Amino acid sequence: MAALQVGKAEILTELRTRPKISVIGAGNVGASVAQYTVEKELGDVVLVDVVEGIPQGKALDLAQAGPVHGYDSSLTGSNGYDETADSDIVVITAGLARKPGMTRDDLLFKNAEIVGSVVEQVVKRSRNAILILVTNPLDAMVQLAWKKSGFPPERVIGMAGVLDSARFRTFIARELDVSVENVTAFVLGGHGDSMVPLPRYSTVAGIPITDLLPADKIQSLVTRTANGGAEIVAFLKSGSAYYAPAASAVEMVEAILKDKKKILPCAAYLSGQYGTKGLYVGVPVKLGRRGVEQIIEIKLQKDEQAAFDKSAAAVRELVDKLKL
Ligand code: APR
């Protein structure tokens, strides 16, 4: 029996069969990312945080939920980066969360410092990984991570649009009393306040919501979506949203690892698409094993293009402050 165990252990160290997903920042979002990732059995998870004991404790706790949920993924917690070596995907959630009254932009400089140092540590050990950024202000953080990493832009992606569209879908489904599964929503632009929803491409079972709801109702749902993060901060007081942000990041992880070629709105590097060059902004992309495999460009109406340009300008203003 002992010999068999030794043999098995040897085989396991030689052949890593499950993908490795590292999650940096073991706070609310990071721990939920780890939880959804193992619940979907997407691979083994390494959780990293600067606070001693937190990643170790959360990883062990989640591992002990494995027998109940029926997952065999391994979970490791660490205060260092060696365990992240050769990750397939690294989800970066490290940073400060918003407090009431704080905008995402208030976080800019503090989180830039944190994300910059995290990316440096990560890329040294995982040259081929795909980075998914979650830390806010999102669009600026993903631009920073891309610059710092030296990775091709298709392997550095920001999670924003999946969350914004999930919020919009929730509100549309509630308004029409239909399943959230019937609702798709199309959003472009920067994360949160400056996002650009496209109601004519947002549908319920294929029917544009512009045929189902009056314009003023749609506008109120759009406004609520754009303020969706702040609405939750106002309730929680000591932190910001984490279940939906984590679920959104994990949808991206799944699309990549399963090479689904799934079209999702993400912060991606634009090199002229939508009239924007050299900047990360939210657009629909095709996600597969190589990361962003295609940027889906649609023809915008005049007012939509103007809203997109305004949103991109707001992102550029933040990025310029970072002097990358
Ligand atoms: N390296 C690793 N972890 C770090 C570092 C660092 N340099 N600095 C901070 N952290 C950790 C904190 O110790 C904390 O555990 O990041 C974690 C952040 O967790 P929370 O404070 O719970 O914040 P959370 O709600 O998870 O949000 C994280 O995601 O949605 C965004 O706006 C949100 O930018 C915020 C991020």
Side-chain angles (χ1 to χ4, degrees):
M1 193 62 192
L4 187 63
Q5 275 175 351
V6 169
K8 198 174 166 201
E10 274 167 9
I11 290 168
L12 283 179
T13 47
E14 268 170 35
L15 286 177
R16 203 185 82 212
T17 48
R18 283 192 289 252
K20 187 194 267 193
I21 303 112
S22 292
V23 182
I24 317 301
N28 285 332
V29 178
S32 303
V33 167
Q35 180 188 343
Y36 295 146
T37 300
V38 292
E39 283 179 2
K40 284 173 170 274
E41 287 205 287
L42 297 178
D44 294 337
V45 171
V46 178
L47 204 47
V48 175
D49 201 286
V50 278
V51 181
E52 249 176 65
I54 292 289
Q56 294 86 347
K58 290 191 181 183
L60 184 58
D61 192 8
L62 270 175
Q64 291 166 356
V68 182
H69 276 286
Y71 51 77
D72 290 300
S73 304
S74 91
L75 280 135
T76 310
S78 178
N79 300 115
Y81 285 81
D82 287 346
E83 293 83 349
T84 68
D86 298 322
S87 293
D88 294 279
I89 299 192
V90 181
V91 182
I92 299 176
T93 76
L96 304 182
R98 260 197 304 174
K99 301 270 155 47
M102 248 176 127
T103 66
R104 288 192 184 85
D105 302 357
D106 293 334
L107 296 176
L108 180 70
F109 290 106
K110 189 68 212 151
N111 283 353
E113 208 181 298
I114 294 173
V115 168
S117 73
V118 166
V119 168
E120 220 169 88
Q121 296 296 322
V122 161
V123 301
K124 267 193 237 164
R125 296 165 175 90
S126 298
R127 295 298 310 159
N128 299 313
I130 290 174
L131 309 183
I132 298 178
L133 273 292
V134 179
T135 306
N136 275 313
L138 190 275
D139 306 273
M141 290 304 112
V142 63
Q143 184 100 17
L144 168 87
W146 166 65
K147 272 269 171 169
K148 282 257 168 196
S149 66
F151 282 7
E154 60 272 19
R155 286 203 281 120
V156 185
I157 318 166
M159 187 293 293
V162 178
L163 172 61
D164 289 328
S165 78
R167 287 180 170 149
F168 196 26
R169 288 167 67 194
T170 307
F171 299 142
I172 294 167
R174 283 189 183 180
E175 187 60 35
L176 292 167
D177 193 22
V178 296
S179 166
V180 289
E181 289 188 85
N182 285 135
V183 184
T184 63
F186 201 109
V187 295
L188 292 170
H191 182 37
D193 316 346
S194 74
M195 66 159 220
V196 182
L198 295 194
R200 68 193 173 101
Y201 284 128
S202 301
T203 66
V204 176
I207 308 160
I209 58 166
T210 43
D211 290 350
L212 299 169
L213 289 167
D216 58 338
K217 183 39 87 180
I218 293 175
Q219 189 48 49
S220 78
L221 301 184
V222 164
T223 305
R224 190 170 176 199
T225 303
N227 297 326
E231 185 177 358
I232 290 177
V233 170
F235 279 123
L236 297 180
K237 298 188 178 65
S238 61
S240 56
Y242 51 101
Y243 293 118
S248 303
V250 173
E251 185 177 20
M252 293 167 65
V253 171
E254 183 171 29
I256 292 167
L257 289 177
K258 293 186 176 170
D259 196 24
K260 285 179 80 78
K261 320 284 186 199
K262 195 170 192 176
I263 295 172
L264 292 171
C266 300
Y269 185 81
L270 300 184
S271 51
Q273 299 91 339
Y274 292 97
T276 296
K277 218 175 180 163
L279 194 68
Y280 272 87
V281 191
V283 289
V285 303
K286 189 198 280 179
L287 281 191
R289 195 61 191 84
R290 285 174 288 141
V292 172
E293 298 189 352
Q294 192 187 341
I295 289 176
I296 315 291
E297 209 175 354
I298 55 154
K299 190 151 178 45
L300 298 181
Q301 291 172 353
K302 225 171 158 196
D303 56 329
E304 294 164 347
Q305 183 67 51
F308 183 87
D309 292 345
K310 195 170 159 218
S311 181
V315 172
R316 199 180 289 279
E317 198 183 314
L318 272 195
V319 167
D320 285 348
K321 284 186 199 160
L322 290 177
K323 300 192 177 21
L324 296 174

Coordinates of all heavy atoms in Angstrom, one line a residue, residues 24-32 48-51 54-55 58 79 81 92-99 104 107 110-111 113-115 117-118 133-138 141 159 163 191 238-242 245-246, ligand 1:
I24 N -4.7 36.1 -6.6 CA -3.9 37.0 -5.7 C -4.8 38.0 -5.0 O -5.6 38.7 -5.7 CB -2.8 37.7 -6.5 CG1 -2.2 36.8 -7.6 CG2 -1.8 38.4 -5.6 CD1 -1.5 35.6 -7.0
G25 N -4.7 38.0 -3.7 CA -5.7 38.7 -2.9 C -6.7 37.7 -2.4 O -7.5 37.2 -3.2
A26 N -6.7 37.4 -1.1 CA -7.6 36.4 -0.6 C -8.7 37.1 0.3 O -9.1 36.5 1.3 CB -6.8 35.4 0.3
G27 N -9.1 38.3 -0.2 CA -10.2 39.0 0.5 C -11.5 38.5 0.1 O -11.7 37.3 -0.3
N28 N -12.5 39.3 0.1 CA -13.9 38.9 -0.3 C -14.0 38.4 -1.7 O -14.5 37.3 -2.0 CB -14.8 40.1 -0.1 CG -15.2 40.3 1.4 OD1 -15.1 39.4 2.2 ND2 -15.5 41.5 1.7
V29 N -13.4 39.2 -2.7 CA -13.5 38.8 -4.1 C -12.7 37.5 -4.3 O -13.1 36.5 -4.9 CB -13.2 39.9 -5.1 CG1 -13.2 39.4 -6.5 CG2 -14.1 41.1 -4.9
G30 N -11.4 37.6 -3.9 CA -10.5 36.5 -4.1 C -11.0 35.2 -3.6 O -10.9 34.1 -4.2
A31 N -11.4 35.2 -2.3 CA -11.9 33.9 -1.7 C -13.1 33.4 -2.5 O -13.3 32.2 -2.7 CB -12.3 34.2 -0.2
S32 N -14.0 34.3 -2.9 CA -15.2 33.8 -3.7 C -14.8 33.3 -5.1 O -15.4 32.4 -5.6 CB -16.2 35.0 -3.8 OG -16.6 35.5 -2.6
V48 N -3.2 33.6 -2.7 CA -2.0 34.4 -2.1 C -2.5 35.7 -1.5 O -3.4 36.4 -2.1 CB -1.0 34.7 -3.3 CG1 0.1 35.6 -2.7 CG2 -0.4 33.4 -3.8
D49 N -2.0 36.1 -0.4 CA -2.3 37.3 0.2 C -1.1 37.8 1.0 O -0.3 37.0 1.5 CB -3.6 37.2 1.1 CG -4.3 38.6 1.3 OD1 -3.8 39.4 2.1 OD2 -5.3 38.8 0.7
V50 N -1.1 39.1 1.3 CA 0.0 39.6 2.2 C -0.3 39.3 3.7 O 0.6 39.3 4.5 CB 0.3 41.1 2.1 CG1 1.1 41.4 0.9 CG2 -1.0 41.9 2.0
V51 N -1.5 39.2 4.0 CA -1.9 39.0 5.4 C -1.6 37.5 5.8 O -2.1 36.6 5.2 CB -3.3 39.3 5.7 CG1 -3.6 39.2 7.2 CG2 -3.6 40.8 5.3
I54 N -4.3 34.3 6.4 CA -5.6 34.4 5.7 C -5.7 33.4 4.5 O -6.6 32.6 4.4 CB -5.9 35.9 5.3 CG1 -6.2 36.7 6.6 CG2 -7.1 36.0 4.3 CD1 -7.5 36.4 7.3
P55 N -4.7 33.5 3.6 CA -4.9 32.6 2.4 C -4.8 31.1 2.9 O -5.5 30.3 2.3 CB -3.7 33.0 1.5 CG -2.7 33.7 2.4 CD -3.5 34.3 3.5
K58 N -8.2 30.2 4.6 CA -9.3 30.1 3.6 C -9.1 28.9 2.7 O -10.1 28.3 2.4 CB -9.5 31.4 2.9 CG -10.0 32.6 3.8 CD -10.4 33.8 3.0 CE -10.9 34.9 3.9 NZ -11.3 36.1 3.2
N79 N 1.7 33.2 1.5 CA 2.0 34.6 1.5 C 3.1 34.9 0.5 O 3.5 36.1 0.4 CB 2.5 35.0 2.9 CG 1.4 34.8 4.0 OD1 1.6 34.0 4.9 ND2 0.3 35.5 3.8
Y81 N 5.0 33.7 -3.6 CA 4.5 33.5 -4.9 C 5.1 32.2 -5.5 O 4.7 31.8 -6.6 CB 4.9 34.7 -5.8 CG 4.0 35.8 -5.6 CD1 4.2 36.7 -4.5 CD2 2.9 36.1 -6.4 CE1 3.4 37.8 -4.3 CE2 2.1 37.1 -6.2 CZ 2.3 38.0 -5.1 OH 1.4 39.0 -4.9
I92 N -6.2 38.5 -10.5 CA -5.6 39.5 -9.5 C -6.7 40.4 -8.9 O -7.4 41.1 -9.6 CB -4.6 40.4 -10.2 CG1 -3.4 39.5 -10.7 CG2 -4.0 41.5 -9.2 CD1 -2.3 40.2 -11.5
T93 N -6.9 40.1 -7.6 CA -8.0 40.9 -6.9 C -7.3 41.7 -5.7 O -8.0 42.3 -4.9 CB -9.0 39.9 -6.2 OG1 -8.5 39.3 -5.1 CG2 -9.5 38.9 -7.2
A94 N -6.0 41.7 -5.6 CA -5.3 42.3 -4.5 C -5.5 43.8 -4.6 O -5.5 44.4 -5.6 CB -3.8 42.0 -4.5
G95 N -5.8 44.4 -3.4 CA -5.9 45.9 -3.4 C -6.9 46.3 -2.3 O -7.4 45.5 -1.5
L96 N -7.2 47.6 -2.3 CA -8.1 48.1 -1.4 C -9.5 48.1 -2.0 O -9.6 48.3 -3.2 CB -7.8 49.5 -1.0 CG -6.4 49.7 -0.4 CD1 -6.2 51.2 0.0 CD2 -6.2 48.8 0.8
A97 N -10.6 47.8 -1.3 CA -11.9 47.9 -1.8 C -12.4 49.3 -1.5 O -11.9 50.0 -0.6 CB -12.8 46.8 -1.2
R98 N -13.5 49.7 -2.2 CA -14.1 51.0 -2.0 C -14.8 51.1 -0.7 O -15.5 50.2 -0.3 CB -15.1 51.3 -3.1 CG -14.5 52.2 -4.2 CD -15.6 52.8 -5.0 NE -16.5 51.8 -5.7 CZ -17.5 52.2 -6.4 NH1 -17.8 53.4 -6.5 NH2 -18.3 51.3 -7.0
K99 N -14.7 52.2 0.0 CA -15.5 52.5 1.2 C -16.6 53.5 0.8 O -16.5 54.1 -0.3 CB -14.6 53.2 2.2 CG -13.4 52.3 2.7 CD -13.8 51.4 3.8 CE -12.9 50.2 3.9 NZ -11.5 50.3 3.8
R104 N -14.1 54.8 -7.5 CA -13.1 53.8 -7.9 C -11.8 54.6 -8.1 O -10.7 54.0 -7.9 CB -13.5 53.1 -9.1 CG -14.6 52.1 -8.9 CD -14.8 51.2 -10.1 NE -15.9 50.3 -9.9 CZ -17.2 50.7 -10.1 NH1 -17.5 51.8 -10.6 NH2 -18.2 49.8 -9.9
L107 N -9.1 55.1 -5.6 CA -8.2 54.0 -5.3 C -7.0 53.9 -6.2 O -6.1 53.1 -6.0 CB -9.0 52.7 -5.5 CG -10.2 52.4 -4.6 CD1 -10.9 51.1 -5.1 CD2 -9.7 52.2 -3.2
K110 N -3.1 54.0 -4.9 CA -2.8 52.9 -3.9 C -2.8 51.5 -4.6 O -1.9 50.7 -4.4 CB -3.9 53.0 -2.8 CG -3.6 52.1 -1.6 CD -2.4 52.6 -0.8 CE -1.7 51.4 -0.2 NZ -0.3 51.5 0.0
N111 N -3.9 51.3 -5.3 CA -4.0 50.0 -6.0 C -3.0 49.8 -7.1 O -2.6 48.7 -7.4 CB -5.4 49.8 -6.5 CG -6.3 49.4 -5.3 OD1 -5.8 49.2 -4.2 ND2 -7.6 49.3 -5.5
E113 N 0.1 50.7 -7.0 CA 1.3 50.3 -6.3 C 1.2 48.8 -6.1 O 2.1 48.0 -6.3 CB 1.4 51.0 -5.0 CG 2.7 51.2 -4.5 CD 2.6 52.0 -3.1 OE1 2.1 53.1 -3.1 OE2 3.0 51.4 -2.1
I114 N 0.0 48.4 -5.5 CA -0.2 47.0 -5.2 C -0.2 46.1 -6.4 O 0.6 45.1 -6.5 CB -1.5 46.8 -4.4 CG1 -1.4 47.5 -3.0 CG2 -1.9 45.3 -4.2 CD1 -2.7 47.6 -2.3
V115 N -1.0 46.5 -7.4 CA -1.1 45.6 -8.6 C 0.3 45.6 -9.4 O 0.7 44.5 -9.8 CB -2.2 46.2 -9.6 CG1 -2.1 45.5 -11.0 CG2 -3.5 46.0 -9.0
S117 N 3.3 45.6 -8.0 CA 4.2 44.7 -7.4 C 3.7 43.2 -7.5 O 4.5 42.3 -7.7 CB 4.4 45.0 -5.9 OG 3.2 44.7 -5.2
V118 N 2.4 43.0 -7.5 CA 1.9 41.7 -7.7 C 2.2 41.1 -9.1 O 2.7 40.0 -9.2 CB 0.3 41.7 -7.5 CG1 -0.3 40.4 -8.1 CG2 -0.1 41.9 -6.1
L133 N -7.6 40.7 -14.5 CA -7.5 41.8 -13.5 C -8.9 42.0 -13.0 O -9.9 42.1 -13.8 CB -7.0 43.1 -14.1 CG -5.5 43.3 -14.1 CD1 -4.9 43.5 -12.7 CD2 -4.7 42.1 -14.7
V134 N -9.0 42.2 -11.7 CA -10.3 42.5 -11.0 C -10.2 43.8 -10.2 O -11.2 44.5 -10.0 CB -10.8 41.4 -10.1 CG1 -12.2 41.7 -9.5 CG2 -11.0 40.1 -10.9
T135 N -9.0 44.1 -9.7 CA -8.8 45.3 -8.9 C -9.2 46.6 -9.6 O -9.0 46.8 -10.8 CB -7.3 45.3 -8.5 OG1 -6.9 44.1 -8.0 CG2 -7.1 46.5 -7.5
N136 N -9.9 47.4 -8.8 CA -10.3 48.7 -9.4 C -9.3 49.9 -9.1 O -8.6 49.7 -8.1 CB -11.7 49.1 -8.7 CG -12.8 48.5 -9.5 OD1 -12.9 48.5 -10.7 ND2 -13.7 47.8 -8.7
P137 N -9.3 50.9 -9.9 CA -10.2 51.2 -11.0 C -9.7 50.3 -12.2 O -8.6 50.4 -12.7 CB -10.0 52.7 -11.3 CG -8.7 53.0 -10.7 CD -8.5 52.1 -9.5
L138 N -10.7 49.5 -12.6 CA -10.3 48.3 -13.4 C -9.6 48.6 -14.7 O -8.5 48.0 -15.0 CB -11.7 47.6 -13.7 CG -11.6 46.2 -14.4 CD1 -11.5 46.2 -15.9 CD2 -10.4 45.4 -13.8
M141 N -6.1 49.6 -14.1 CA -5.3 48.6 -13.5 C -4.9 47.5 -14.6 O -3.7 47.0 -14.5 CB -6.0 47.8 -12.4 CG -6.2 48.7 -11.1 SD -4.7 49.3 -10.4 CE -4.9 51.0 -10.7
M159 N -11.8 42.2 -16.0 CA -13.1 41.8 -15.7 C -14.0 43.0 -15.3 O -13.7 43.7 -14.3 CB -13.2 40.8 -14.5 CG -14.5 40.2 -14.2 SD -15.8 41.3 -13.7 CE -15.2 41.7 -12.1
L163 N -19.6 41.7 -15.3 CA -20.3 42.2 -14.1 C -21.4 43.2 -14.4 O -22.5 43.1 -14.0 CB -19.3 42.7 -13.1 CG -19.8 43.4 -11.9 CD1 -20.7 42.4 -11.0 CD2 -18.7 43.9 -11.0
H191 N -15.5 50.6 -16.9 CA -16.3 49.9 -15.8 C -17.1 50.9 -15.0 O -16.6 51.9 -14.6 CB -15.3 49.1 -14.9 CG -16.0 48.3 -13.9 ND1 -17.2 47.7 -14.0 CD2 -15.6 48.1 -12.6 CE1 -17.5 47.1 -12.9 NE2 -16.6 47.3 -12.0
S238 N -18.7 48.6 4.9 CA -17.2 48.4 5.1 C -16.6 47.7 3.9 O -15.5 47.1 4.1 CB -17.0 47.6 6.4 OG -17.7 46.4 6.2
G239 N -17.2 47.6 2.8 CA -16.6 46.9 1.7 C -17.4 47.1 0.4 O -18.4 47.8 0.4
S240 N -17.0 46.4 -0.6 CA -17.7 46.5 -1.9 C -18.2 45.1 -2.3 O -17.9 44.1 -1.7 CB -16.9 47.2 -2.9 OG -15.7 46.5 -3.1
A241 N -18.9 45.1 -3.4 CA -19.5 43.8 -3.9 C -18.5 42.7 -4.1 O -17.4 43.0 -4.5 CB -20.2 44.1 -5.2
Y242 N -18.9 41.5 -3.9 CA -17.9 40.4 -4.2 C -18.5 39.1 -4.8 O -17.9 38.5 -5.6 CB -17.1 40.0 -3.0 CG -17.8 39.8 -1.7 CD1 -18.0 38.5 -1.3 CD2 -18.2 40.8 -0.9 CE1 -18.6 38.2 -0.1 CE2 -18.9 40.5 0.3 CZ -19.1 39.3 0.7 OH -19.7 39.0 1.9
P245 N -19.0 40.0 -8.7 CA -17.6 40.2 -9.3 C -16.9 38.9 -9.4 O -16.3 38.6 -10.5 CB -16.9 41.2 -8.4 CG -18.0 42.0 -7.7 CD -19.1 41.0 -7.6
A246 N -16.9 38.1 -8.4 CA -16.2 36.8 -8.4 C -16.8 35.9 -9.4 O -16.1 35.2 -10.2 CB -16.2 36.2 -7.0
Ligands
APR1 N1 -0.4 41.4 -2.3 C1 -1.4 40.5 -2.1 N2 -2.6 40.8 -1.5 C2 -2.8 42.0 -1.1 C3 -1.8 43.1 -1.3 C4 -0.6 42.7 -1.9 N3 0.4 43.6 -2.2 N4 -2.3 44.2 -0.8 C5 -3.5 43.9 -0.4 N5 -3.8 42.6 -0.5 C6 -5.0 41.9 -0.1 C7 -5.6 42.3 1.2 O1 -4.8 41.8 2.3 C8 -7.0 41.8 1.1 O2 -7.1 40.5 1.7 O3 -6.1 42.1 -1.0 C9 -7.3 41.7 -0.4 C10 -8.4 42.5 -0.8 O4 -9.6 42.0 -0.2 P1 -10.8 42.9 0.3 O5 -10.2 44.0 1.1 O6 -11.8 42.0 0.9 O7 -11.4 43.6 -1.0 P2 -12.3 42.8 -2.1 O8 -13.7 43.1 -1.8 O9 -11.9 41.4 -2.3 O10 -11.9 43.7 -3.4 C11 -10.7 43.6 -4.1 O11 -11.6 43.9 -6.3 O12 -13.7 44.5 -7.0 C12 -12.4 45.0 -6.7 O13 -12.8 47.3 -6.0 C13 -12.4 46.0 -5.6 O14 -10.2 46.7 -5.9 C14 -11.0 45.9 -5.1 C15 -10.6 44.4 -5.3

